[in-house]
Structures are given as structure tokens and as C-alpha cells.
Amino acid sequence: MADSDGEYLDDFSDEEASAHQVTRGSGHATRVSGRGLNVSGRQAAKPKARWEDIQRSWDNVVEGADGSIGSTVVGLLEASKRKRLQRDTTPLQRGIVRNVVLVLDCSDAMTEKDLRPTRYLLTIRYAQEFVTEFFEQNPISQLGVIAMRDGIAVTITEQSGNPNDHIAALEKLRTEDPKGYPSLQNALEFCRGRLSHAPAHGTREVLIIYGALISADPGDIHVTINSLVAERIRVSIVGLAAQVAICREMCVKTNSGDDRSYGVSLNEQHFKDLFLSSTTPPVTHSVTESAASLLQMGFPSRLDENKASLCACHSRLTKGGYLCTRCETKVCNLPIDCPACGLTLILSTHLARSYHHLFPLKNWVEVPWKDAHSVKCFSCVQPFPPVPTEHRKAETEAAKAKEKAAPPSTAPTKNMGTSESSRYMCETCGNHFCVDCDIFCHEQLHNCPGCQSTVFGDEQPEYNGANEDTGNGHMANGDGDAMDTGA
């Protein structure tokens, strides 16, 4: 016998179920006439189950002319690489000096194995990658790590600019087992007390990795949320189970109504993308945050020593280091706040690397076959696939028609997909690059090699679509000058 009415009805066929449907009129009930018909007289449609709408990756595979799927596989690989570059490159005001607290859920919910090997171990691994990427993109920022377990917040690392300390502390967490319930309110109050001493010229952010669906809070969490808003502390959450209403409300209120700071992971790769997306500084929303302020910084030189001496930051014997430009206190690593006088000590390269968020490199566009005149990648000199014969014929016909009519626009398409010619063009300098150089320049270098090696005059040079080899290891640009490619 069925346990519920729903299961009992599932045993019926569509015709039997529709025959038992009753409609309520103005004064009496009438049975639906006919079998398998609804009130309007149409055939009753059975709703689809979720598993019937599943999308399989192998359904998108198309065989090539030679019967192989090599071209499809290459296209899928390029699409997965270029997916990370589909971001807005509009220059916006951002805070480059960030004070971030990373909160990790170490409760019983992290023992689930829906993310392999477990949520807990995968979170620790991605947290170590996040620390490395965070200080690579934000070298003059500060980061701290805390954990939620047994209803309390536990300090893992203090606010510091040294990534090695955070990675070593996260590695020790592997030997500990998650336990108890998490407490969002206790963790947020802990972060609020830590960030209350952060300087006003930097941002105050909290990033929470949350795997549970409950929170053991000692009081009203809405009071804590209002305190975070008053102190301009932003909260971003990455959920591992499902969307939680209080988490979304918290992110919306602390981010000026923007709900993009809250995401729920679908799989391991999506979890990593959500996690690492926090390495980009947030956009400044209010006028108070955009107020200009002066910040004193020191740029010390490297100190070479024949004998080891104690550093003021770790009290360890080290050879070499840096001397504070104000009080001449020795520190072993940069960037850091001087332990004696509090002066921020950095290198000029750290400051330069922080500015690429303010002036991001524009996305490169795909090059169609009709504009694929280049033979090699401008950056790595990797050969491009040759232009197919049918496209060469079409190009010849187009050249004849060009003599009789006005020249058509040769601007490549701007859709952020994969290029059919495996070429991607910078719209500023007009040079062609491969997909690997596209990713490297946008994620690591943050500069275009073609723009850096080209001197523009009063007028922008027109793109001629060709980077021809001069035969002696040099590439000829549009002006006919030879550029050394290191070949």
C-alpha cells in the first residue's frame, strides 16, 4: 500500500487520474467528462522529470570531414580556457589595499563527500591556492584566516601579508577533523572586532566558505548584519550545499544591494571559480569609500649580510633582509608593516602589480578566416593553422569586389567565444595571438606584448592583418620595421 497520497496517485495512469479530477463551479462540483482530458478538453500533459532534461556533453560532439572529433575536442578545450576571460573590463574605481578575513567552515557538514575527496579537504586545498593567487594579485593587502567549529570562531592566522605563514597554517588543518555546528554570528562578530582596527584607506572584507545549512547563533544575527553595514564591512559567501536565505540577505545588505557576492557551487570546478573570483578587488560603490587619502609607504633596499642577525618580524636569525626607511628595523620579507614604527614597507613592483585592477587589459576578439592572414603567434611564435582552401577562394573573390565597391569593415567579431581560426586579436595594436598567450596575458602579465613593443604616433596605425616573417628571425610590423622576437 502506498505511504502517501502522492505515491498512490503515481500508481495511476494519466487517463485514470484525469477521470477522477473534479472541478469546482459556482455552486456544485462536477466530474470531468471523458478519459485523459483536462478541464479545457485538451490532452493532459505529464510533467517531465528533472533527469529527463539533463544535458550530456557528448551530445555536442560533431564529427569533422575526416570522420574524427579532433577539431571538436580542440574547440571545447579553447572554450574552457576562454571562459575564464569572459569578464567585464570596464575601468572602475577599486580598493587596492585590502583587509580580508577568510572564514572556513570546519563543522560536521564539511565531512560530506559530494565534493571529492571531501568538502573539508577540497576547501583546504583551494584555500591554499586562494592565498597564493590573492597575494599575487593584491601584493600590498592583508589576509587572515579563522575557522568555525563547535559554535565558536577559532583563529588560524592573524592578519598578515606573508602568504607562507597562511599556507603553512592551512596545511596543519589537514590533520584536524571537522566537528560541531558553525555559528555565523560568532564568526562575523570575531571578524568585526579584527577589522575594526584596519585603516580607513583600505577595504574591509569577509569571505566565508559555508558548507552547512544551519547556524548555531547565540543572539539576533540581524543586529550583527546592521553593525557590519555601519562599519562598511563587505561579506561574500560561497555555499557548498544550497542557498540559505540569511546568507543572501547578508551579502545583499553589505554589498550595496549586489547579490553577486553570494554563490553556491555546482561542482569542484565551479567551487574553485567562485573561490578565486574573490581575488579581484571589489568595486567602490559609495562616495565615502571613494574619498582620496594619503598613505605613507617606505621602499627599502635589499640588505646583504655576511653574518646572520635577528629580524623584527619573526625573531629569527636570517642573512639579509630589508631595513625600514624610517627606523632602520630589519625585516625579512616584503610587503609588511614595520613592527617598530608601523610604516608600510613595499617594493615598487608590488605597487605596480596592484594597478592592473584599475586599468584591466581589454578582451581580445576572435579573428575570422577572412582576416586570418597571420602565420605565427606574435608572442610565442607558435604557428597558426593554415587557412582552408575554400576561404582562400572566397578571399580572392572579395578582393575583386573590393576594387569596384567601398571597402567593407574588417573588424573581427566581438562575441566571446572560440575563434574558428585559433587567432585572437588585440584591437589596439592589431597583432594576432594564440589562446594560450591570450590567457597568460590576461591572467598573469596583464599587458599586451604587441602594445608594449609598438610606438604609436599621433594617429592609430591601421591593422593590416599580417605579421610576416622577414626570414632572419625577425617579424615585420605594419610600418615595415623589423622587431626582434628572440628567435
Side-chain angles (χ1 to χ4, degrees), residues 105 107-109 148 180-185 210-217 221 241-244 246-247:
D105 187 356
S107 63
D108 289 335
M148 294 184 295
Y181 294 99
S183 177
L184 281 175
Q185 186 180 17
Y210 199 60
L213 295 176
I214 60 174
S215 177
D217 298 328
I221 193 173
Q243 188 179 84
V244 182
I246 191 62
C247 294

Side-chain angles (χ1 to χ4, degrees), residues 222 225-226 229 248-258:
H222 293 89
I225 295 176
N226 295 333
V229 175
R248 184 180 184 277
E249 179 183 351
M250 185 189 311
C251 294
V252 170
K253 287 186 176 181
T254 58
N255 288 275
S256 302
D258 188 4

Side-chain angles (χ1 to χ4, degrees), residues 178-296:
K179 57 181 179 179
Y181 294 99
S183 177
L184 281 175
Q185 186 180 17
N186 285 337
L188 292 174
E189 290 290 350
F190 192 93
C191 297
R192 190 167 70 93
R194 176 178 287 192
L195 294 176
S196 61
H197 304 289
H201 59 261
T203 62
R204 302 175 182 179
E205 306 170 47
V206 177
L207 174 60
I208 303 176
I209 308 300
Y210 199 60
L213 295 176
I214 60 174
S215 177
D217 298 328
D220 188 0
I221 193 173
H222 293 89
V223 177
T224 302
I225 295 176
N226 295 333
S227 301
L228 295 174
V229 175
E231 298 182 14
R232 298 187 292 108
I233 298 178
R234 303 168 180 256
V235 179
S236 301
I237 300 178
V238 177
L240 304 183
Q243 188 179 84
V244 182
I246 191 62
C247 294
R248 184 180 184 277
E249 179 183 351
M250 185 189 311
C251 294
V252 170
K253 287 186 176 181
T254 58
N255 288 275
S256 302
D258 188 4
D259 60 349
R260 291 177 296 178
S261 57
Y262 179 42
V264 180
S265 66
L266 303 176
N267 47 53
E268 289 84 350
Q269 183 60 41
H270 189 223
F271 176 32
K272 184 177 181 180
D273 294 340
L274 292 175
F275 205 155
L276 297 183
S277 64
S278 298
T279 57
T280 303
V283 179
T284 301
H285 294 289
S286 63
V287 179
T288 307
E289 294 177 336
S290 61
S293 59
L294 297 178
L295 175 62
Q296 290 186 349

Side-chain angles (χ1 to χ4, degrees), residues 99-415:
N99 297 278
V100 182
V101 179
L102 175 62
V103 182
L104 301 179
D105 187 356
C106 296
S107 63
D108 289 335
M110 299 298 288
T111 59
E112 296 290 337
K113 296 184 178 180
D114 51 354
L115 300 177
R116 295 294 181 179
T118 62
R119 293 181 183 177
Y120 182 70
L121 295 178
L122 186 65
T123 299
I124 293 178
R125 192 181 83 187
Y126 286 167
Q128 292 175 326
E129 296 181 11
F130 169 79
V131 171
T132 303
E133 185 69 16
F134 176 82
F135 285 104
E136 181 68 25
Q137 304 294 333
N138 309 272
I140 59 177
S141 300
Q142 300 287 317
L143 177 69
V145 184
I146 69 173
M148 294 184 295
R149 63 159 63 98
D150 287 333
I152 60 175
V154 183
T155 300
I156 304 300
T157 59
E158 297 289 346
Q159 295 295 115
S160 171
N162 188 355
N164 297 326
D165 295 342
H166 300 299
I167 294 176
L170 290 171
E171 187 65 28
K172 294 180 181 179
L173 283 180
R174 293 180 178 272
T175 59
E176 302 179 9
D177 295 328
K179 57 181 179 179
Y181 294 99
S183 177
L184 281 175
Q185 186 180 17
N186 285 337
L188 292 174
E189 290 290 350
F190 192 93
C191 297
R192 190 167 70 93
R194 176 178 287 192
L195 294 176
S196 61
H197 304 289
H201 59 261
T203 62
R204 302 175 182 179
E205 306 170 47
V206 177
L207 174 60
I208 303 176
I209 308 300
Y210 199 60
L213 295 176
I214 60 174
S215 177
D217 298 328
D220 188 0
I221 193 173
H222 293 89
V223 177
T224 302
I225 295 176
N226 295 333
S227 301
L228 295 174
V229 175
E231 298 182 14
R232 298 187 292 108
I233 298 178
R234 303 168 180 256
V235 179
S236 301
I237 300 178
V238 177
L240 304 183
Q243 188 179 84
V244 182
I246 191 62
C247 294
R248 184 180 184 277
E249 179 183 351
M250 185 189 311
C251 294
V252 170
K253 287 186 176 181
T254 58
N255 288 275
S256 302
D258 188 4
D259 60 349
R260 291 177 296 178
S261 57
Y262 179 42
V264 180
S265 66
L266 303 176
N267 47 53
E268 289 84 350
Q269 183 60 41
H270 189 223
F271 176 32
K272 184 177 181 180
D273 294 340
L274 292 175
F275 205 155
L276 297 183
S277 64
S278 298
T279 57
T280 303
V283 179
T284 301
H285 294 289
S286 63
V287 179
T288 307
E289 294 177 336
S290 61
S293 59
L294 297 178
L295 175 62
Q296 290 186 349
M297 291 185 176
F299 299 87
S301 301
R302 179 72 180 178
L303 176 65
D304 295 328
E305 294 179 321
N306 296 327
K307 297 181 180 180
S309 60
L310 290 174
C311 68
C313 49
H314 300 94
S315 299
R316 300 173 184 171
L317 288 173
T318 58
K319 287 186 177 181
Y322 301 89
L323 291 181
C324 176
T325 55
R326 176 186 292 172
C327 62
E328 297 187 354
T329 300
K330 176 186 172 182
V331 294
C332 54
N333 292 309
L334 295 179
I336 194 175
D337 290 338
C338 178
C341 63
L343 180 65
T344 302
L345 304 176
I346 64 172
L347 296 176
S348 58
T349 54
H350 293 151
L351 193 60
R353 277 160 44 196
S354 300
Y355 274 95
H356 73 265
H357 295 296
L358 305 179
F359 308 99
L361 180 62
K362 293 183 180 179
N363 292 323
W364 295 344
V365 296
E366 297 81 6
V367 179
W369 281 119
K370 62 185 183 66
D371 296 326
H373 305 295
S374 56
V375 180
K376 301 176 183 178
C377 172
F378 180 83
S379 180
C380 65
V381 203
Q382 182 72 18
F384 285 134
V387 181
T389 307
E390 58 271 16
H391 291 282
R392 293 183 181 274
K393 294 180 180 179
E395 183 179 334
T396 304
E397 296 176 358
K400 295 179 180 179
K402 186 178 180 180
E403 299 177 357
K404 302 178 181 179
S409 175
T410 58
T413 58
K414 295 188 178 182
N415 56 318

